[in-house]
Every structure is written in C-alpha cells, then in structure tokens.
C-alpha cells in the first residue's frame, strides 16, 4: 500500500470504531497482564469466562500469591495449557512483589523478563495500560498485514517492524486493536468477508470473496425450471 492508502485504511477503521479496546476483561493493570498471559493460544471469550470469578477476589500480585497455584488452577482449568500458565502467573506475581513493589512496570524489557511474558504480551500491556505506540502481532494481525499488503513479513516480528514504520501518527495507539478486530470479525482466516469490508478497495488480496447472498440469488436465477412432460402423439402405421 502507498502512504495515502495506509492513511485511508486506518481512517476508515477509526471512523467505524473511534475508541477501540481489547476484548479481554480486567479491572487494573495487573489483571490485564494476567489476562493476556492466559490468552496465549486461547480465545478472549474463554479467558473472560475463567477470570470473572478470579478477578473478583484477586486484584493484586500478593492476593494471587495468597490464592496459590492450586487455587489459580481451579479457576483457569478450562483454558488451554492452564498448568504452565498457572505456574508462570505465580512466578511473575512473586517477581512483581519482590522487585517492583507489586506494580506492573511500564517498560517492555522489564515485562519480557517476567515468566510467561513474551514480546506480544508486553506490547499488549504497554499499549492498553500505558498508551504506548506498540503493535502486538498475533495471528490476526499477521494475517491481515500480509493479506492486505499493509505490512508483509515472514515472521510476527517482521510484520511488527513494518507496522512501526508505516502506521501514521494519528492511528498508532489504536492500530493494533483495529487490526485485531478486523482480522477476527471481517478478514477471517478461512473465508474473509470481503463483501462487507470497509477497506476492500485498498486491499491487495486478489481473491475477493463475493457476497454469499448475491451468489445464491444468481444461482437461483440460473437454475432451470421443472421439465414439462410431453404427451405422446398418435402412433403412425405403415401404409
């Protein structure tokens, strides 16, 4: 995409959703960090179901330590990889209490030093909690970046670097949310819904998916009507 096309791309997404937010539910920065750690290889819907009861009682790292690893597992056992995630959550809570006064640091390097926190998780926390211009490239953003031509790359980090270079200033804080939501609900993996995409004319994806309703109507019109049976005529006999 050209610079003007990229600006228009985000302008349209921003017009449709002026204040994008993560779909993870949380009450403070610590709960956000825990939710993002739990969301690895899991859906936001599934994480939210598991954390609603948990977050009513656990709002700080110390409260998580008081709950303990087994208590945490009881809350998150419906989430994939819950054993490893529970262990990492307890360990990172210990470090936050011991080294950061129970507060989540507003620094990507400090965040990635925590157990279970990779670059993507740190970028989400930096963006959602501290308003940093970071781009957390998950499977949705990776797909949208490559499919549309907005930010092509063979790895999530390569796509992230492209976004850092290309996303214009007015949209940098919200860009990661717009791209995730666009990939989750419109530019889907198996069958993108191009017919209702607000940026389809800017997109470099050639195999645009048509509106299923239009396709079905066209097929119905082309379908031949019922065959009309002919009555046999009188049989001719030889003279």
């Amino acid at each position: 995409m050209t610079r003007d096309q990229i600006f228009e791309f985000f302008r349209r997404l921003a017009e449709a959703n002026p204040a994008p937010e993560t779909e993870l539910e949380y009450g403070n920065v610590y709960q956000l960090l825990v939710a993002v750690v739990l969301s690895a290889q899991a859906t936001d819907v599934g994480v939210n179901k598991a954390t609603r009861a948990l977050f009513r009682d656990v709002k700080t790292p110390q409260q998580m330590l008081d709950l303990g690893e087994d208590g945490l597992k009881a809350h998150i056992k419906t989430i994939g990889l819950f054993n490893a995630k529970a262990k990492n959550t307890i360990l990172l809570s210990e470090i936050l209490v011991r080294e950061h006064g129970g507060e989540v640091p507003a620094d990507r390097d400090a965040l990635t030093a925590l157990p279970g926190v990779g670059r993507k998780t740190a970028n989400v926390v930096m963006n959602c909690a501290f308003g940093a211009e970071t781009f957390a490239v998950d499977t949705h953003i990776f797909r949208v970046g490559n499919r549309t031509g907005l930010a092509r790359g063979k790895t999530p980090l390569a796509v992230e670097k492209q976004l850092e270079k290309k996303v214009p200033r007015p949209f940098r804080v919200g860009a990661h949310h717009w791209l995730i939501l666009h990939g989750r609900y419109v530019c889907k993996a198996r069958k993108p819904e191009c017919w209702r995409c607000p940026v389809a004319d800017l997109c470099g994806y050639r195999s645009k998916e048509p509106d299923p309703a239009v396709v079905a109507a066209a097929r119905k019109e082309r379908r031949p009507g019922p065959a009309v049976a002919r009555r046999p005529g009188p049989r001719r006999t030889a003279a």
Side-chain angles (χ1 to χ4, degrees), residues 83-147:
N83 284 315
K85 291 176 180 179
K87 181 179 180 179
N88 285 331
T89 300
I90 294 298
L91 289 174
L92 71 83
S93 298
E94 290 176 351
I95 294 173
L96 290 178
V97 170
R98 184 174 66 248
E99 300 181 11
H100 300 283
E103 300 295 327
V104 177
D107 179 82
R108 183 160 57 189
D109 291 338
L111 286 169
T112 55
L114 298 172
V117 179
R119 186 179 180 89
K120 183 185 75 173
T121 297
N123 281 342
V124 172
V125 174
M126 291 294 295
N127 180 271
C128 297
F130 305 115
E133 297 177 352
T134 55
F135 305 92
V137 179
D138 67 348
T139 56
H140 297 300
I141 294 184
F142 186 79
R143 179 176 66 255
V144 172
N146 279 285
R147 179 183 279 167

Short mmCIF file of all heavy atoms in Angstrom, two decimals, residues 83-147:
data_model
loop_
_atom_site.label_atom_id
_atom_site.label_comp_id
_atom_site.label_asym_id
_atom_site.label_seq_id
_atom_site.Cartn_x
_atom_site.Cartn_y
_atom_site.Cartn_z
N ASN A 83 -1.90 -25.48 33.29
CA ASN A 83 -0.88 -25.82 34.28
C ASN A 83 0.34 -24.90 34.17
O ASN A 83 0.81 -24.33 35.15
CB ASN A 83 -0.45 -27.28 34.13
CG ASN A 83 -1.48 -28.25 34.68
OD1 ASN A 83 -2.01 -28.05 35.77
ND2 ASN A 83 -1.79 -29.29 33.93
N ALA A 84 0.85 -24.78 32.94
CA ALA A 84 2.02 -23.91 32.72
C ALA A 84 1.67 -22.45 32.97
O ALA A 84 2.49 -21.70 33.53
CB ALA A 84 2.53 -24.09 31.29
N LYS A 85 0.48 -22.05 32.58
CA LYS A 85 0.08 -20.66 32.77
C LYS A 85 -0.08 -20.32 34.25
O LYS A 85 0.26 -19.22 34.70
CB LYS A 85 -1.22 -20.38 32.00
CG LYS A 85 -1.04 -20.40 30.50
CD LYS A 85 -2.36 -20.22 29.77
CE LYS A 85 -2.17 -20.26 28.26
NZ LYS A 85 -3.43 -20.12 27.51
N ALA A 86 -0.61 -21.25 35.02
CA ALA A 86 -0.74 -21.02 36.46
C ALA A 86 0.64 -20.88 37.10
O ALA A 86 0.86 -19.99 37.93
CB ALA A 86 -1.52 -22.18 37.10
N LYS A 87 1.56 -21.75 36.72
CA LYS A 87 2.92 -21.68 37.27
C LYS A 87 3.57 -20.34 36.95
O LYS A 87 4.17 -19.69 37.82
CB LYS A 87 3.76 -22.82 36.70
CG LYS A 87 5.19 -22.86 37.23
CD LYS A 87 5.97 -24.03 36.65
CE LYS A 87 7.39 -24.06 37.18
NZ LYS A 87 8.16 -25.22 36.64
N ASN A 88 3.47 -19.90 35.67
CA ASN A 88 4.07 -18.63 35.27
C ASN A 88 3.42 -17.45 35.97
O ASN A 88 4.11 -16.48 36.34
CB ASN A 88 3.98 -18.46 33.76
CG ASN A 88 4.96 -19.32 33.01
OD1 ASN A 88 6.04 -19.65 33.52
ND2 ASN A 88 4.62 -19.71 31.79
N THR A 89 2.11 -17.51 36.16
CA THR A 89 1.40 -16.40 36.81
C THR A 89 1.84 -16.25 38.25
O THR A 89 2.03 -15.13 38.75
CB THR A 89 -0.12 -16.62 36.73
OG1 THR A 89 -0.53 -16.68 35.35
CG2 THR A 89 -0.87 -15.49 37.41
N ILE A 90 2.02 -17.36 38.94
CA ILE A 90 2.51 -17.30 40.32
C ILE A 90 3.94 -16.76 40.35
O ILE A 90 4.28 -15.90 41.18
CB ILE A 90 2.44 -18.68 40.98
CG1 ILE A 90 0.97 -19.13 41.14
CG2 ILE A 90 3.13 -18.67 42.34
CD1 ILE A 90 0.12 -18.22 42.02
N LEU A 91 4.79 -17.24 39.44
CA LEU A 91 6.18 -16.78 39.42
C LEU A 91 6.28 -15.28 39.10
O LEU A 91 7.05 -14.56 39.73
CB LEU A 91 6.97 -17.59 38.39
CG LEU A 91 7.25 -19.05 38.74
CD1 LEU A 91 7.91 -19.76 37.57
CD2 LEU A 91 8.12 -19.15 39.99
N LEU A 92 5.51 -14.82 38.12
CA LEU A 92 5.60 -13.40 37.77
C LEU A 92 5.03 -12.53 38.90
O LEU A 92 5.49 -11.41 39.13
CB LEU A 92 4.92 -13.11 36.44
CG LEU A 92 3.39 -13.17 36.30
CD1 LEU A 92 2.71 -11.87 36.73
CD2 LEU A 92 3.01 -13.46 34.85
N SER A 93 4.05 -13.07 39.62
CA SER A 93 3.49 -12.33 40.75
C SER A 93 4.53 -12.19 41.86
O SER A 93 4.63 -11.14 42.51
CB SER A 93 2.23 -13.05 41.29
OG SER A 93 1.22 -13.09 40.29
N GLU A 94 5.31 -13.26 42.07
CA GLU A 94 6.38 -13.20 43.07
C GLU A 94 7.40 -12.12 42.71
O GLU A 94 7.85 -11.36 43.57
CB GLU A 94 7.08 -14.56 43.17
CG GLU A 94 6.23 -15.64 43.81
CD GLU A 94 6.94 -16.99 43.80
OE1 GLU A 94 8.00 -17.09 43.13
OE2 GLU A 94 6.43 -17.93 44.45
N ILE A 95 7.76 -12.05 41.43
CA ILE A 95 8.74 -11.06 40.98
C ILE A 95 8.19 -9.65 41.11
O ILE A 95 8.90 -8.71 41.51
CB ILE A 95 9.17 -11.35 39.53
CG1 ILE A 95 9.93 -12.69 39.48
CG2 ILE A 95 10.04 -10.22 38.98
CD1 ILE A 95 10.26 -13.15 38.08
N LEU A 96 6.91 -9.46 40.77
CA LEU A 96 6.31 -8.13 40.88
C LEU A 96 6.32 -7.66 42.33
O LEU A 96 6.59 -6.48 42.61
CB LEU A 96 4.87 -8.16 40.34
CG LEU A 96 4.71 -8.33 38.83
CD1 LEU A 96 3.24 -8.40 38.45
CD2 LEU A 96 5.41 -7.21 38.06
N VAL A 97 6.02 -8.56 43.26
CA VAL A 97 6.03 -8.19 44.68
C VAL A 97 7.45 -7.91 45.15
O VAL A 97 7.70 -6.91 45.85
CB VAL A 97 5.38 -9.31 45.52
CG1 VAL A 97 5.60 -9.06 47.01
CG2 VAL A 97 3.89 -9.41 45.22
N ARG A 98 8.38 -8.78 44.76
CA ARG A 98 9.74 -8.69 45.26
C ARG A 98 10.55 -7.56 44.64
O ARG A 98 11.31 -6.87 45.33
CB ARG A 98 10.46 -10.02 45.02
CG ARG A 98 11.87 -10.09 45.61
CD ARG A 98 12.47 -11.46 45.47
NE ARG A 98 12.72 -11.82 44.08
CZ ARG A 98 12.06 -12.78 43.42
NH1 ARG A 98 11.11 -13.47 44.04
NH2 ARG A 98 12.36 -13.05 42.17
N GLU A 99 10.39 -7.34 43.34
CA GLU A 99 11.26 -6.40 42.63
C GLU A 99 10.58 -5.11 42.16
O GLU A 99 11.27 -4.15 41.83
CB GLU A 99 11.87 -7.10 41.41
CG GLU A 99 12.71 -8.32 41.77
CD GLU A 99 13.32 -8.99 40.56
OE1 GLU A 99 13.26 -8.40 39.45
OE2 GLU A 99 13.85 -10.12 40.69
N HIS A 100 9.24 -5.09 42.13
CA HIS A 100 8.56 -3.91 41.58
C HIS A 100 7.50 -3.34 42.53
O HIS A 100 6.63 -2.57 42.10
CB HIS A 100 7.92 -4.26 40.24
CG HIS A 100 8.89 -4.72 39.20
ND1 HIS A 100 9.70 -3.85 38.50
CD2 HIS A 100 9.20 -5.98 38.76
CE1 HIS A 100 10.46 -4.54 37.66
NE2 HIS A 100 10.19 -5.83 37.79
N GLY A 101 7.58 -3.71 43.79
CA GLY A 101 6.64 -3.16 44.76
C GLY A 101 5.20 -3.52 44.48
O GLY A 101 4.28 -2.79 44.87
N GLY A 102 4.97 -4.64 43.80
CA GLY A 102 3.61 -5.08 43.50
C GLY A 102 2.98 -4.38 42.30
O GLY A 102 1.81 -4.61 42.00
N GLU A 103 3.76 -3.55 41.61
CA GLU A 103 3.25 -2.81 40.45
C GLU A 103 3.77 -3.43 39.15
O GLU A 103 4.88 -3.98 39.10
CB GLU A 103 3.68 -1.34 40.53
CG GLU A 103 3.18 -0.60 41.75
CD GLU A 103 1.66 -0.46 41.78
OE1 GLU A 103 1.06 -0.34 40.69
OE2 GLU A 103 1.09 -0.48 42.88
N VAL A 104 2.98 -3.30 38.10
CA VAL A 104 3.40 -3.76 36.77
C VAL A 104 4.25 -2.68 36.14
O VAL A 104 3.81 -1.53 36.01
CB VAL A 104 2.18 -4.06 35.88
CG1 VAL A 104 2.63 -4.46 34.47
CG2 VAL A 104 1.32 -5.15 36.50
N PRO A 105 5.48 -2.98 35.75
CA PRO A 105 6.36 -1.95 35.19
C PRO A 105 5.91 -1.50 33.80
O PRO A 105 5.46 -2.30 32.98
CB PRO A 105 7.72 -2.65 35.11
CG PRO A 105 7.40 -4.10 35.01
CD PRO A 105 6.15 -4.30 35.83
N ALA A 106 6.06 -0.20 33.54
CA ALA A 106 5.71 0.36 32.23
C ALA A 106 6.94 0.35 31.33
O ALA A 106 7.34 1.38 30.77
CB ALA A 106 5.16 1.77 32.40
N ASP A 107 7.53 -0.82 31.18
CA ASP A 107 8.75 -0.96 30.41
C ASP A 107 8.74 -2.33 29.74
O ASP A 107 8.58 -3.35 30.43
CB ASP A 107 9.97 -0.83 31.33
CG ASP A 107 11.28 -1.00 30.57
OD1 ASP A 107 11.74 -0.02 29.96
OD2 ASP A 107 11.80 -2.13 30.58
N ARG A 108 8.93 -2.36 28.43
CA ARG A 108 8.81 -3.61 27.70
C ARG A 108 9.90 -4.61 28.10
O ARG A 108 9.62 -5.80 28.24
CB ARG A 108 8.85 -3.37 26.19
CG ARG A 108 8.66 -4.64 25.37
CD ARG A 108 8.22 -4.35 23.96
NE ARG A 108 9.14 -3.48 23.26
CZ ARG A 108 8.88 -2.95 22.06
NH1 ARG A 108 7.71 -3.17 21.47
NH2 ARG A 108 9.76 -2.17 21.46
N ASP A 109 11.11 -4.15 28.31
CA ASP A 109 12.19 -5.06 28.70
C ASP A 109 11.92 -5.67 30.07
O ASP A 109 12.16 -6.87 30.28
CB ASP A 109 13.53 -4.33 28.71
CG ASP A 109 13.99 -3.95 27.31
OD1 ASP A 109 13.52 -4.60 26.34
OD2 ASP A 109 14.79 -3.01 27.17
N ALA A 110 11.41 -4.87 30.99
CA ALA A 110 11.10 -5.39 32.33
C ALA A 110 9.94 -6.38 32.26
O ALA A 110 9.92 -7.38 32.98
CB ALA A 110 10.75 -4.23 33.27
N LEU A 111 9.00 -6.11 31.38
CA LEU A 111 7.85 -7.02 31.23
C LEU A 111 8.29 -8.36 30.63
O LEU A 111 7.89 -9.42 31.11
CB LEU A 111 6.78 -6.38 30.36
CG LEU A 111 5.96 -5.26 31.01
CD1 LEU A 111 5.13 -4.53 29.96
CD2 LEU A 111 5.06 -5.82 32.10
N THR A 112 9.10 -8.31 29.60
CA THR A 112 9.53 -9.56 28.95
C THR A 112 10.47 -10.39 29.84
O THR A 112 10.71 -11.56 29.55
CB THR A 112 10.21 -9.29 27.60
OG1 THR A 112 11.29 -8.37 27.78
CG2 THR A 112 9.22 -8.70 26.60
N ALA A 113 10.98 -9.79 30.90
CA ALA A 113 11.80 -10.54 31.85
C ALA A 113 10.94 -11.39 32.79
O ALA A 113 11.46 -12.24 33.50
CB ALA A 113 12.67 -9.58 32.66
N LEU A 114 9.62 -11.15 32.78
CA LEU A 114 8.72 -11.91 33.65
C LEU A 114 8.39 -13.26 33.02
O LEU A 114 8.27 -13.38 31.80
CB LEU A 114 7.42 -11.12 33.87
CG LEU A 114 7.54 -9.76 34.56
CD1 LEU A 114 6.20 -9.04 34.53
CD2 LEU A 114 8.03 -9.94 36.00
N PRO A 115 8.23 -14.31 33.82
CA PRO A 115 7.88 -15.63 33.30
C PRO A 115 6.55 -15.60 32.53
O PRO A 115 5.57 -15.01 32.99
CB PRO A 115 7.75 -16.49 34.56
CG PRO A 115 8.59 -15.80 35.58
CD PRO A 115 8.45 -14.34 35.29
N GLY A 116 6.55 -16.21 31.35
CA GLY A 116 5.32 -16.30 30.56
C GLY A 116 4.98 -15.05 29.77
O GLY A 116 3.94 -15.01 29.11
N VAL A 117 5.84 -14.04 29.84
CA VAL A 117 5.57 -12.78 29.14
C VAL A 117 6.54 -12.63 27.97
O VAL A 117 7.73 -12.41 28.17
CB VAL A 117 5.70 -11.57 30.09
CG1 VAL A 117 5.44 -10.26 29.32
CG2 VAL A 117 4.74 -11.70 31.26
N GLY A 118 6.03 -12.77 26.76
CA GLY A 118 6.82 -12.56 25.56
C GLY A 118 6.63 -11.17 25.01
O GLY A 118 5.95 -10.33 25.62
N ARG A 119 7.18 -10.94 23.87
CA ARG A 119 7.11 -9.59 23.27
C ARG A 119 5.67 -9.18 22.96
O ARG A 119 5.28 -8.05 23.19
CB ARG A 119 7.96 -9.57 21.99
CG ARG A 119 8.07 -8.19 21.36
CD ARG A 119 8.92 -8.21 20.10
NE ARG A 119 9.03 -6.89 19.50
CZ ARG A 119 9.96 -5.99 19.79
NH1 ARG A 119 10.87 -6.28 20.70
NH2 ARG A 119 9.99 -4.81 19.20
N LYS A 120 4.88 -10.12 22.44
CA LYS A 120 3.50 -9.80 22.11
C LYS A 120 2.71 -9.40 23.35
O LYS A 120 1.99 -8.39 23.36
CB LYS A 120 2.82 -10.98 21.42
CG LYS A 120 1.39 -10.70 20.96
CD LYS A 120 0.72 -11.94 20.40
CE LYS A 120 0.33 -12.89 21.50
NZ LYS A 120 -0.47 -14.04 21.02
N THR A 121 2.84 -10.19 24.42
CA THR A 121 2.15 -9.88 25.67
C THR A 121 2.59 -8.53 26.22
O THR A 121 1.76 -7.71 26.64
CB THR A 121 2.41 -10.98 26.72
OG1 THR A 121 1.88 -12.21 26.25
CG2 THR A 121 1.80 -10.62 28.06
N ALA A 122 3.88 -8.27 26.20
CA ALA A 122 4.40 -6.99 26.68
C ALA A 122 3.85 -5.84 25.86
O ALA A 122 3.49 -4.78 26.40
CB ALA A 122 5.93 -6.99 26.66
N ASN A 123 3.77 -6.02 24.55
CA ASN A 123 3.25 -4.96 23.68
C ASN A 123 1.78 -4.66 23.98
O ASN A 123 1.35 -3.50 23.95
CB ASN A 123 3.40 -5.36 22.21
CG ASN A 123 4.81 -5.14 21.69
OD1 ASN A 123 5.60 -4.41 22.29
ND2 ASN A 123 5.15 -5.78 20.59
N VAL A 124 1.01 -5.71 24.25
CA VAL A 124 -0.40 -5.50 24.59
C VAL A 124 -0.53 -4.69 25.87
O VAL A 124 -1.30 -3.73 25.95
CB VAL A 124 -1.14 -6.85 24.74
CG1 VAL A 124 -2.56 -6.62 25.28
CG2 VAL A 124 -1.21 -7.59 23.42
N VAL A 125 0.22 -5.07 26.89
CA VAL A 125 0.15 -4.37 28.17
C VAL A 125 0.62 -2.93 28.01
O VAL A 125 -0.01 -1.99 28.53
CB VAL A 125 0.99 -5.10 29.24
CG1 VAL A 125 1.05 -4.28 30.53
CG2 VAL A 125 0.40 -6.48 29.51
N MET A 126 1.72 -2.72 27.30
CA MET A 126 2.23 -1.37 27.08
C MET A 126 1.20 -0.49 26.36
O MET A 126 1.03 0.68 26.69
CB MET A 126 3.52 -1.42 26.27
CG MET A 126 4.71 -2.02 27.01
SD MET A 126 5.23 -1.01 28.42
CE MET A 126 5.78 0.47 27.58
N ASN A 127 0.51 -1.09 25.39
CA ASN A 127 -0.47 -0.33 24.62
C ASN A 127 -1.74 -0.06 25.41
O ASN A 127 -2.21 1.08 25.51
CB ASN A 127 -0.79 -1.09 23.33
CG ASN A 127 -1.79 -0.38 22.45
OD1 ASN A 127 -3.00 -0.58 22.59
ND2 ASN A 127 -1.30 0.44 21.54
N CYS A 128 -2.33 -1.12 25.97
CA CYS A 128 -3.63 -0.99 26.64
C CYS A 128 -3.54 -0.25 27.98
O CYS A 128 -4.43 0.53 28.33
CB CYS A 128 -4.24 -2.37 26.86
SG CYS A 128 -4.62 -3.28 25.35
N ALA A 129 -2.48 -0.50 28.72
CA ALA A 129 -2.37 0.07 30.06
C ALA A 129 -1.67 1.42 30.09
O ALA A 129 -2.03 2.29 30.89
CB ALA A 129 -1.62 -0.90 30.98
N PHE A 130 -0.69 1.59 29.20
CA PHE A 130 0.14 2.79 29.27
C PHE A 130 0.08 3.66 28.02
O PHE A 130 0.80 4.65 27.93
CB PHE A 130 1.59 2.39 29.57
CG PHE A 130 1.74 1.55 30.80
CD1 PHE A 130 2.18 0.23 30.73
CD2 PHE A 130 1.41 2.05 32.06
CE1 PHE A 130 2.31 -0.56 31.85
CE2 PHE A 130 1.53 1.28 33.20
CZ PHE A 130 1.98 -0.03 33.10
N GLY A 131 -0.75 3.28 27.05
CA GLY A 131 -0.93 4.11 25.86
C GLY A 131 0.28 4.18 24.96
O GLY A 131 0.44 5.15 24.20
N ALA A 132 1.14 3.17 25.01
CA ALA A 132 2.35 3.17 24.17
C ALA A 132 2.00 2.81 22.74
O ALA A 132 1.03 2.08 22.47
CB ALA A 132 3.36 2.17 24.72
N GLU A 133 2.78 3.31 21.80
CA GLU A 133 2.57 3.03 20.38
C GLU A 133 3.25 1.71 20.03
O GLU A 133 4.29 1.67 19.36
CB GLU A 133 3.11 4.18 19.52
CG GLU A 133 2.39 5.49 19.76
CD GLU A 133 2.98 6.64 18.97
OE1 GLU A 133 4.05 6.45 18.34
OE2 GLU A 133 2.39 7.74 18.99
N THR A 134 2.66 0.63 20.49
CA THR A 134 3.22 -0.70 20.24
C THR A 134 2.25 -1.50 19.40
O THR A 134 1.04 -1.22 19.36
CB THR A 134 3.48 -1.45 21.56
OG1 THR A 134 2.26 -1.48 22.33
CG2 THR A 134 4.57 -0.77 22.36
N PHE A 135 2.77 -2.53 18.72
CA PHE A 135 1.98 -3.33 17.79
C PHE A 135 2.15 -4.80 18.15
O PHE A 135 3.17 -5.41 17.83
CB PHE A 135 2.42 -3.06 16.35
CG PHE A 135 2.38 -1.61 15.99
CD1 PHE A 135 3.50 -0.81 16.16
CD2 PHE A 135 1.22 -1.02 15.52
CE1 PHE A 135 3.48 0.53 15.84
CE2 PHE A 135 1.17 0.33 15.21
CZ PHE A 135 2.30 1.11 15.37
N ALA A 136 1.18 -5.34 18.85
CA ALA A 136 1.23 -6.74 19.28
C ALA A 136 0.72 -7.62 18.15
O ALA A 136 -0.48 -7.69 17.90
CB ALA A 136 0.37 -6.93 20.53
N VAL A 137 1.63 -8.28 17.47
CA VAL A 137 1.26 -9.05 16.28
C VAL A 137 0.86 -10.47 16.67
O VAL A 137 1.71 -11.32 16.97
CB VAL A 137 2.43 -9.08 15.26
CG1 VAL A 137 2.04 -9.90 14.04
CG2 VAL A 137 2.79 -7.66 14.85
N ASP A 138 -0.44 -10.72 16.67
CA ASP A 138 -0.95 -12.07 16.88
C ASP A 138 -1.28 -12.69 15.53
O ASP A 138 -0.91 -12.15 14.48
CB ASP A 138 -2.18 -12.03 17.80
CG ASP A 138 -3.37 -11.35 17.15
OD1 ASP A 138 -3.20 -10.71 16.08
OD2 ASP A 138 -4.48 -11.46 17.70
N THR A 139 -1.98 -13.81 15.52
CA THR A 139 -2.30 -14.47 14.24
C THR A 139 -3.18 -13.60 13.36
O THR A 139 -3.07 -13.63 12.13
CB THR A 139 -3.00 -15.81 14.49
OG1 THR A 139 -4.16 -15.60 15.31
CG2 THR A 139 -2.07 -16.78 15.20
N HIS A 140 -4.08 -12.82 13.97
CA HIS A 140 -4.98 -11.97 13.20
C HIS A 140 -4.21 -10.85 12.50
O HIS A 140 -4.38 -10.60 11.30
CB HIS A 140 -6.06 -11.37 14.10
CG HIS A 140 -6.96 -12.38 14.72
ND1 HIS A 140 -7.76 -13.23 13.98
CD2 HIS A 140 -7.20 -12.69 16.02
CE1 HIS A 140 -8.45 -14.02 14.79
NE2 HIS A 140 -8.13 -13.70 16.03
N ILE A 141 -3.36 -10.15 13.25
CA ILE A 141 -2.60 -9.05 12.66
C ILE A 141 -1.61 -9.58 11.63
O ILE A 141 -1.39 -8.96 10.58
CB ILE A 141 -1.90 -8.23 13.75
CG1 ILE A 141 -2.94 -7.51 14.62
CG2 ILE A 141 -0.92 -7.23 13.15
CD1 ILE A 141 -2.35 -6.61 15.68
N PHE A 142 -1.00 -10.71 11.92
CA PHE A 142 -0.06 -11.31 10.96
C PHE A 142 -0.78 -11.59 9.63
O PHE A 142 -0.25 -11.31 8.56
CB PHE A 142 0.51 -12.60 11.54
CG PHE A 142 1.59 -13.22 10.69
CD1 PHE A 142 2.88 -12.72 10.71
CD2 PHE A 142 1.31 -14.31 9.87
CE1 PHE A 142 3.89 -13.29 9.93
CE2 PHE A 142 2.30 -14.89 9.09
CZ PHE A 142 3.58 -14.38 9.11
N ARG A 143 -1.98 -12.15 9.72
CA ARG A 143 -2.75 -12.46 8.51
C ARG A 143 -3.18 -11.19 7.78
O ARG A 143 -3.02 -11.07 6.57
CB ARG A 143 -3.99 -13.28 8.89
CG ARG A 143 -4.88 -13.62 7.70
CD ARG A 143 -6.03 -14.51 8.10
NE ARG A 143 -6.97 -13.88 9.01
CZ ARG A 143 -7.06 -14.11 10.30
NH1 ARG A 143 -6.25 -14.96 10.88
NH2 ARG A 143 -7.97 -13.50 11.04
N VAL A 144 -3.75 -10.24 8.50
CA VAL A 144 -4.23 -9.00 7.87
C VAL A 144 -3.07 -8.23 7.24
O VAL A 144 -3.20 -7.72 6.12
CB VAL A 144 -4.97 -8.12 8.90
CG1 VAL A 144 -5.30 -6.75 8.31
CG2 VAL A 144 -6.26 -8.81 9.35
N GLY A 145 -1.96 -8.14 7.95
CA GLY A 145 -0.81 -7.42 7.41
C GLY A 145 -0.32 -8.00 6.10
O GLY A 145 -0.04 -7.27 5.14
N ASN A 146 -0.22 -9.33 6.04
CA ASN A 146 0.26 -9.98 4.83
C ASN A 146 -0.79 -10.03 3.72
O ASN A 146 -0.48 -9.82 2.56
CB ASN A 146 0.74 -11.41 5.16
CG ASN A 146 2.14 -11.43 5.73
OD1 ASN A 146 3.12 -11.26 5.01
ND2 ASN A 146 2.25 -11.62 7.03
N ARG A 147 -2.02 -10.31 4.09
CA ARG A 147 -3.07 -10.47 3.08
C ARG A 147 -3.38 -9.16 2.38
O ARG A 147 -3.54 -9.10 1.17
CB ARG A 147 -4.34 -11.05 3.73
CG ARG A 147 -5.49 -11.23 2.76
CD ARG A 147 -6.72 -11.74 3.50
NE ARG A 147 -6.66 -13.18 3.72
CZ ARG A 147 -7.48 -13.84 4.55
NH1 ARG A 147 -8.37 -13.17 5.26
NH2 ARG A 147 -7.38 -15.16 4.67
#
